[in-house]
Coordinates of all heavy atoms in Angstrom, one line a residue:
V1 N -34.9 3.9 -153.8 CA -33.5 3.8 -153.9 C -32.8 5.0 -153.4 O -31.5 5.0 -153.2 CB -33.1 3.5 -155.3 CG1 -33.6 2.1 -155.8 CG2 -33.6 4.6 -156.3
S2 N -33.5 6.1 -153.1 CA -32.9 7.3 -152.7 C -32.4 7.2 -151.2 O -31.5 8.0 -150.8 CB -33.8 8.5 -152.7 OG -34.9 8.4 -151.8
R3 N -32.9 6.3 -150.4 CA -32.5 6.2 -149.0 C -31.1 5.6 -148.8 O -30.7 4.7 -149.4 CB -33.5 5.3 -148.2 CG -35.0 5.8 -148.2 CD -35.1 7.3 -147.8 NE -36.4 7.6 -147.5 CZ -37.4 8.0 -148.4 NH1 -37.1 8.0 -149.6 NH2 -38.6 8.3 -148.0
D4 N -30.4 6.3 -147.9 CA -29.1 5.9 -147.5 C -29.0 5.3 -146.1 O -28.6 5.9 -145.2 CB -28.1 7.1 -147.7 CG -26.7 6.7 -147.4 OD1 -26.4 5.5 -147.3 OD2 -25.8 7.6 -147.3
Y5 N -29.6 4.1 -146.0 CA -29.6 3.5 -144.6 C -28.3 3.1 -144.1 O -28.1 3.1 -142.9 CB -30.6 2.3 -144.6 CG -32.0 2.8 -144.7 CD1 -32.9 2.2 -145.7 CD2 -32.6 3.8 -143.9 CE1 -34.2 2.6 -145.8 CE2 -33.9 4.2 -144.0 CZ -34.7 3.6 -145.0 OH -36.0 4.0 -145.1
P6 N -27.3 2.7 -144.9 CA -26.0 2.4 -144.3 C -25.4 3.6 -143.6 O -24.8 3.4 -142.5 CB -25.1 2.0 -145.6 CG -26.1 1.5 -146.5 CD -27.4 2.3 -146.3
T7 N -25.5 4.8 -144.1 CA -25.1 6.0 -143.4 C -25.8 6.2 -142.1 O -25.2 6.5 -141.0 CB -25.2 7.2 -144.3 OG1 -24.2 7.1 -145.4 CG2 -24.9 8.5 -143.5
L8 N -27.1 6.0 -142.1 CA -27.9 6.1 -140.9 C -27.5 5.1 -139.8 O -27.3 5.4 -138.6 CB -29.4 6.0 -141.2 CG -30.3 6.0 -140.0 CD1 -30.3 7.3 -139.2 CD2 -31.8 5.7 -140.4
L9 N -27.3 3.9 -140.2 CA -26.9 2.8 -139.3 C -25.5 3.1 -138.7 O -25.3 2.9 -137.5 CB -26.9 1.5 -140.0 CG -28.3 0.9 -140.4 CD1 -28.1 -0.4 -141.2 CD2 -29.1 0.7 -139.1
R10 N -24.6 3.6 -139.5 CA -23.3 4.0 -138.9 C -23.5 5.2 -137.9 O -22.8 5.3 -136.9 CB -22.3 4.4 -140.0 CG -21.9 3.2 -140.8 CD -20.6 3.6 -141.7 NE -20.9 4.6 -142.6 CZ -21.3 4.4 -143.8 NH1 -21.6 3.2 -144.3 NH2 -21.5 5.5 -144.6
A11 N -24.4 6.1 -138.2 CA -24.6 7.3 -137.4 C -25.2 6.9 -136.0 O -24.9 7.5 -135.0 CB -25.5 8.3 -138.1
V12 N -26.1 5.9 -136.0 CA -26.8 5.6 -134.7 C -26.1 4.5 -133.9 O -26.7 4.1 -132.9 CB -28.3 5.3 -135.0 CG1 -29.0 6.4 -135.7 CG2 -28.4 4.0 -135.8
A13 N -25.0 4.0 -134.4 CA -24.3 2.9 -133.7 C -24.0 3.4 -132.3 O -23.4 4.5 -132.1 CB -23.0 2.5 -134.4
G14 N -24.4 2.7 -131.3 CA -24.2 3.1 -129.9 C -25.1 4.1 -129.3 O -25.0 4.5 -128.1
L15 N -26.1 4.6 -130.1 CA -27.1 5.5 -129.6 C -28.0 4.9 -128.6 O -28.5 3.8 -128.8 CB -27.9 6.1 -130.8 CG -28.9 7.2 -130.4 CD1 -28.2 8.5 -130.1 CD2 -29.9 7.4 -131.6
T16 N -28.2 5.5 -127.4 CA -29.0 4.9 -126.4 C -30.5 5.0 -126.7 O -31.3 4.3 -126.1 CB -28.7 5.5 -125.0 OG1 -28.9 6.9 -125.1 CG2 -27.2 5.2 -124.6
R17 N -30.9 6.0 -127.5 CA -32.3 6.1 -127.9 C -32.7 5.1 -128.9 O -31.9 4.7 -129.8 CB -32.5 7.5 -128.5 CG -34.0 7.9 -128.7 CD -34.7 8.0 -127.4 NE -34.2 9.1 -126.6 CZ -34.7 10.3 -126.6 NH1 -35.7 10.7 -127.4 NH2 -34.2 11.3 -125.8
A18 N -33.9 4.6 -128.8 CA -34.4 3.6 -129.8 C -34.5 4.3 -131.2 O -34.9 5.5 -131.3 CB -35.8 3.1 -129.4
V19 N -34.2 3.5 -132.2 CA -34.3 3.9 -133.6 C -35.3 3.0 -134.3 O -35.2 1.7 -134.2 CB -33.0 3.8 -134.3 CG1 -33.1 4.2 -135.8 CG2 -32.0 4.8 -133.6
V20 N -36.3 3.5 -135.0 CA -37.2 2.7 -135.8 C -37.1 3.1 -137.3 O -37.1 4.3 -137.6 CB -38.7 3.0 -135.3 CG1 -39.7 2.2 -136.2 CG2 -38.8 2.6 -133.8
I21 N -37.0 2.1 -138.1 CA -36.9 2.3 -139.5 C -38.0 1.5 -140.2 O -38.1 0.3 -140.0 CB -35.5 1.8 -140.1 CG1 -34.4 2.5 -139.4 CG2 -35.5 2.0 -141.6 CD1 -33.0 2.0 -139.9
R22 N -38.9 2.2 -140.9 CA -40.0 1.6 -141.6 C -39.6 1.4 -143.0 O -39.6 2.3 -143.8 CB -41.3 2.5 -141.5 CG -42.6 1.8 -141.4 CD -42.9 0.7 -142.4 NE -42.8 1.3 -143.8 CZ -42.8 0.5 -144.9 NH1 -42.8 -0.8 -144.8 NH2 -42.7 1.0 -146.1
S23 N -39.2 0.2 -143.4 CA -38.7 -0.1 -144.7 C -38.8 -1.6 -145.0 O -38.5 -2.4 -144.1 CB -37.3 0.4 -144.9 OG -36.8 0.1 -146.2
R24 N -39.1 -1.9 -146.2 CA -39.1 -3.3 -146.7 C -37.7 -3.6 -147.4 O -37.5 -4.7 -147.8 CB -40.2 -3.5 -147.7 CG -41.6 -3.5 -147.1 CD -42.7 -3.8 -148.1 NE -42.8 -2.8 -149.1 CZ -43.6 -1.8 -149.1 NH1 -44.4 -1.6 -148.0 NH2 -43.7 -0.9 -150.0
K25 N -36.8 -2.6 -147.5 CA -35.6 -2.8 -148.1 C -34.4 -3.1 -147.2 O -33.3 -3.2 -147.6 CB -35.2 -1.5 -149.0 CG -36.3 -1.1 -150.0 CD -36.5 -2.2 -151.0 CE -37.5 -1.8 -152.1 NZ -37.7 -2.8 -153.1
L26 N -34.7 -3.1 -145.9 CA -33.7 -3.3 -144.9 C -34.0 -4.5 -144.0 O -35.1 -4.7 -143.6 CB -33.6 -2.0 -144.1 CG -32.4 -1.9 -143.1 CD1 -31.1 -1.8 -143.9 CD2 -32.5 -0.6 -142.3

């Protein structure tokens, strides 16, 4: 529950580099 993936997703919106998230919560 410590992870803040909503903030990460907002941060990488439009990023041309690939993003990988290893999580069962998303």
Side-chain angles (χ1 to χ4, degrees):
V1 296
S2 69
R3 298 308 195 277
D4 182 9
Y5 288 128
T7 292
L8 175 62
L9 290 174
R10 290 196 298 272
V12 300
L15 185 71
T16 56
R17 186 68 62 94
V19 177
V20 177
I21 301 175
R22 213 309 302 167
S23 178
R24 293 185 291 269
K25 303 297 184 181
L26 191 65

